[in-house]
Amino acid sequence: MTNNKSVLNWIEEMKTLVSPDKVVWIDGSEEQLEQLRAEACSTGEMLKLNQEKLPGCYLHRTAVNDVARVEDRTFICSQNEVDAGPTNNWMEPQKAYKMLYDIARGSYKGRTMYVIPYSMGPIGSPLAKIGVELTDSIYVVLNMAIMARVGQAVWDVLGDNPEWVRGLHCKCEIDAEKRYICHFPEDNTIVSVNSGYGGNVLLGKKCFALRIASFLGKNQGWMAEHMLILGLQNPQGKVTYVAAAFPSACGKTNLAMLIPPEGYVKKGYKVWTVGDDIAWMRPGEDGRLYAINPENGFFGVAPGTNAKSNYNALASTGEGTIFTNVVQNLDDNTVWWEGLDKNPPKNAVNWKGEPWDGSTSSEKGAHPNSRFTAPAKNCPCISPEFDKGEGVPISAIIFGGRRAQTTPLVYQSRDWDNGVFVGSIMASETTAAAAGAVGVVRRDPMAMLPFCGYHMGDYFAHWFEMGKVLGDKAPKVFNVNWFRLDDEGHFLWPGFGDNMRVLDWIISRVEGTADAVETPIGFVPKAEDINLQGIEDEINLETLRNILVVDKDQWKKEAEGIEEFYKNFGDKLPQELRAQLDQLKQKLQ
Ligand code: GTP
Ligand code: SPV
Ligand code: MN
């Protein structure tokens, strides 16, 4: 498979540590994957779904204590504590290795070690990077085979190169008290023990493509971000690419696969999906910022996905998809989740594996963080640029979060530096994507709080550096909020496909064809400039004006919150951010 010495040595070392019964090298062939699917079904690790309705689709249930990322058990193990920064948990690397290896020792006894070579990004792309994950879970192998490019071609591209990312995953006993997700950015190494849930164990995703990659990006002059990438094609056929960072379960997959409202479709507008969760971006030869999606599939939130809210996501799950923690409908052996349709199955099994009657049960059938793992190639609107290694040029960066109040539907920053400030003050109500309380407002700069592999003060400084490199070719920076609520708790903005109306304004601003109103926080649209044609029943101009308002009193409170938050970073807070905050306070006077 490979003669790469650094790979072979490490695998030997890990074999001695975890003591597998046997070792299986994943070659990426359909034949091998099919064997593994059969094996997983024979042990009950996966259930084969109705192959006529859902060809190649399977269901998996995680342990009840293992349904989301565990931020309080996630560590950045840099030599110096200061390099992990105030927003990450830190452990001294030697101590962490010892603790993890003590947990991992002998844990593959009676089990198989699977060796997964994978490429984040199209194999051979100048922006792609290679990792090797060792796991004792077939579920992980099969998910990785959807989410990344896996197999022999990866070894061929790697050759003798010692630069690759090590990932050791051990299920152990799925003991929540001994669960650790540890990153060693200075060693290109990840160790994950006692979990079987997505973001904790598909090590190419958040662990490598964000935590390790953000550290590499800082040192090498590029950016790894928690962003979707989409291309918006206008009736003349011109495609403009934007990247958008929203916290977990705040609408990236939905925006990435947006179907424009009828009026736009008729005129010839179309949205192409390049990525739904992660973007790797670097300046290209022409000085613009180019982005690739390092992933090859979608690990999407199931609840709320339906033919109306996100047809393209639903269509992506029609074939070759692994569902995790959704409802199993026993009548026809298909799947269901809250928000799929209004007909919950009566004769069903809930995400915990218990009998469940959706017509009478007051409990949810699917876990709020239940997911689908779907191949990107299934997506009806996948971009023709998806597999091209050079990436797409980004014209706008959009930040956003879930805020019932305060943050308007959309606003534009004054310039790049002001845009970095806008990203740094992002806040959002927490969701089920991470363990812990849901609905609490927390600061989540650039949606990277749980994913930055180094000191966030240095991360902000890196953003300012990138601005200097990009100069006047830097993308324009915006902020959106689809989640404003009325007093009864209803969403004021229709959202989903209608977010196209906001994208439309954003593109017009990029092209310099739309007007705006200056406010203390930046530029907001004139209400008349947001196209409401076809949704006048759902939202009138009055309501739209309301969700575009920048309320000075609310923002004064917000500025206090930002001041408090910034204190965490001490003297690592870039001067520019301090100046931006002072400027905001002044403008609010
Ligand atoms: P991760 O995969 O965790 O990073 O999530 P994500 O950012 O891709 O979020 P996703 O698109 O899966 O959406 C999460 C939840 O937000 C789903 O329940 C959606 O139905 C809901 N949602 C997405 N877009 C909108 C919107 O425009 N308005 C409203 N009200 N809800 C939305
Ligand atoms: C997120 O939580 O942001 C996700 C899912 O995209 S996970 O892979 O668990 O990180
Ligand atoms: Mn995500």
Side-chain angles (χ1 to χ4, degrees):
M1 312 263 357
T2 178
N3 294 319
N4 185 308
K5 284 247 160 52
S6 60
V7 170
L8 296 176
N9 289 342
W10 178 69
I11 292 179
E12 241 358 270
E13 193 192 325
M14 292 301 111
K15 254 170 71 180
T16 309
L17 176 72
V18 300
S19 314
D21 277 13
K22 61 175 182 168
V23 177
V24 170
W25 293 68
I26 300 303
D27 60 20
S29 69
E30 188 44 39
E31 199 184 344
Q32 187 187 45
L33 294 175
E34 193 53 36
Q35 257 170 29
L36 292 173
R37 288 178 198 121
E39 191 180 331
C41 289
S42 76
T43 61
E45 188 178 354
M46 293 206 310
L47 294 167
K48 197 174 199 161
L49 293 164
N50 183 326
Q51 295 298 296
E52 261 155 47
K53 293 188 172 170
L54 295 166
C57 293
Y58 294 81
L59 171 65
H60 171 79
R61 296 187 195 108
T62 64
V64 178
N65 73 9
D66 189 29
V67 294
R69 286 181 292 100
V70 279
E71 295 178 4
D72 57 333
R73 309 195 71 91
T74 299
F75 289 80
I76 300 298
C77 308
S78 43
Q79 283 299 335
N80 299 313
E81 181 169 8
V82 61
D83 292 330
T87 57
N88 282 311
N89 301 309
W90 176 82
M91 216 185 290
E92 201 261 311
Q94 271 346 92
K95 197 180 138 201
Y97 278 126
K98 176 169 187 320
M99 177 196 71
L100 294 163
Y101 287 174
D102 285 347
I103 294 171
R105 189 165 296 109
S107 72
Y108 279 32
K109 270 183 199 144
R111 302 181 185 185
T112 301
M113 171 185 276
Y114 299 97
V115 181
I116 315 171
Y118 64 94
S119 173
M120 297 311 286
I123 295 176
S125 154
L127 284 91
K129 302 236 168 260
I130 285 171
V132 180
E133 175 164 354
L134 306 179
T135 181
D136 53 347
S137 157
I138 296 181
Y139 171 76
V140 167
V141 173
L142 296 173
N143 274 272
M144 284 295 286
I146 297 172
M147 295 305 295
R149 280 96 170 164
V150 160
Q152 182 59 38
V154 175
W155 295 130
D156 298 343
V157 166
L158 183 64
D160 300 329
N161 193 340
E163 290 286 302
W164 50 277
V165 173
R166 293 152 180 72
L168 173 67
H169 167 237
C170 309
K171 273 193 301 195
C172 304
E173 308 309 323
I174 315 285
D175 178 350
E177 299 302 315
K178 291 189 188 152
R179 185 169 300 152
Y180 292 97
I181 321 297
C182 294
H183 308 71
F184 302 82
E186 289 138 356
D187 303 347
N188 276 337
T189 298
I190 305 155
V191 182
S192 162
V193 293
N194 276 298
S195 176
Y197 165 76
N200 298 332
V201 300
L202 309 179
L203 300 185
K205 195 172 176 59
K206 295 311 206 298
C207 300
F208 177 174
L210 288 179
R211 297 194 189 97
I212 298 286
S214 60
F215 176 78
L216 294 173
K218 179 194 66 147
N219 293 326
Q220 300 169 354
W222 55 282
M223 310 167 89
E225 299 295 337
H226 193 197
M227 290 180 181
L228 69 95
I229 309 163
L230 69 81
L232 201 147
Q233 183 173 324
N234 73 8
Q236 290 73 47
K238 181 181 167 198
V239 184
T240 306
Y241 293 94
V242 307
F246 310 154
S248 301
C250 289
K252 287 182 299 301
T253 303
N254 275 271
L255 189 68
M257 298 182 189
L258 174 152
I259 297 178
E262 210 181 301
Y264 281 92
V265 172
K266 274 198 187 129
K267 280 189 206 144
Y269 284 91
K270 186 164 170 47
V271 167
W272 299 104
T273 307
V274 181
D276 83 322
D277 199 49
I278 299 175
W280 285 0
M281 310 192 284
R282 70 172 60 185
E285 272 168 23
D286 62 1
R288 297 185 66 190
L289 189 62
Y290 282 77
I292 64 162
N293 170 12
E295 302 191 281
N296 201 25
F298 309 117
F299 186 61
V301 179
T305 306
N306 60 58
K308 187 165 176 279
S309 68
N310 194 345
Y311 169 82
N312 287 323
L314 193 63
S316 304
T317 66
E319 209 178 323
T321 293
I322 301 171
F323 297 92
T324 301
N325 291 342
V326 299
V327 174
Q328 182 188 15
N329 180 345
L330 291 177
D331 285 339
D332 63 354
N333 193 24
T334 56
V335 288
W336 190 85
W337 49 78
E338 277 69 24
L340 174 65
D341 56 40
K342 296 208 165 85
N343 310 306
K346 284 168 174 277
N347 178 23
V349 177
N350 70 8
W351 69 271
K352 295 178 197 162
E354 303 159 346
W356 185 77
D357 178 346
S359 65
T360 57
S361 179
S362 56
E363 263 184 68
K364 289 196 162 147
H367 188 275
N369 191 39
S370 55
R371 300 253 167 185
F372 54 79
T373 316
K377 66 170 179 344
N378 284 1
C379 180
C381 59
I382 195 75
S383 165
E385 304 291 322
F386 177 77
D387 266 322
K388 292 200 187 140
E390 61 264 41
V392 295
I394 299 298
S395 297
I397 286 176
I398 307 172
F399 296 118
R402 223 175 242 278
R403 291 299 295 273
Q405 291 188 28
T406 315
T407 310
L409 177 65
V410 57
Y411 67 101
Q412 180 183 7
S413 69
R414 291 190 189 81
D415 52 29
W416 178 270
D417 282 8
N418 182 232
V420 178
F421 174 70
V422 169
S424 80
I425 67 169
M426 263 172 70
S428 194
E429 289 141 24
T430 51
T431 65
V438 168
V440 182
V441 175
R442 74 163 183 188
R443 299 266 155 216
D444 187 355
M446 284 85 168
M448 282 292 278
L449 185 76
F451 306 119
C452 185
Y454 61 103
H455 196 300
M456 267 220 139
D458 294 332
Y459 169 83
F460 296 141
H462 182 49
W463 269 79
F464 287 113
E465 279 307 311
M466 292 302 298
K468 288 190 195 112
V469 172
L470 294 163
D472 61 2
K473 302 225 168 83
K476 302 281 185 276
V477 182
F478 298 81
N479 193 89
V480 298
N481 177 22
W482 316 138
F483 300 95
R484 285 288 289 262
L485 298 180
D486 66 13
D487 295 339
E488 272 104 56
H490 304 119
F491 290 113
L492 287 162
W493 175 249
F496 300 100
D498 289 311
N499 294 333
M500 171 70 200
R501 301 167 192 276
V502 173
L503 287 181
D504 186 13
W505 182 78
I506 287 174
I507 304 286
S508 307
R509 290 296 293 171
V510 166
E511 291 180 340
T513 56
D515 229 341
V517 184
E518 185 158 10
T519 77
I521 63 170
F523 299 101
V524 300
K526 291 184 169 165
E528 312 79 65
D529 285 346
I530 300 284
N531 173 7
L532 293 184
Q533 241 170 52
I535 49 166
E536 296 91 342
D537 291 353
E538 285 168 76
I539 179 166
N540 56 31
L541 210 55
E542 178 71 18
T543 309
L544 178 60
R545 272 204 192 96
N546 275 337
I547 59 175
L548 287 172
V549 153
V550 176
D551 182 294
K552 279 200 180 176
D553 289 334
Q554 284 180 351
W555 274 93
K556 277 182 193 163
K557 268 210 204 102
E558 194 71 8
E560 280 168 27
I562 298 164
E563 182 106 52
E564 230 12 71
F565 179 62
Y566 275 1
K567 281 185 188 153
N568 289 320
F569 303 101
D571 56 8
K572 285 265 197 185
L573 186 82
Q575 227 9 75
E576 292 96 326
L577 286 183
R578 162 96 2 237
Q580 289 283 341
L581 177 57
D582 289 344
Q583 197 185 47
L584 172 66
K585 285 203 266 182
Q586 220 166 36
K587 287 181 189 282
L588 287 168
Q589 280 315 309

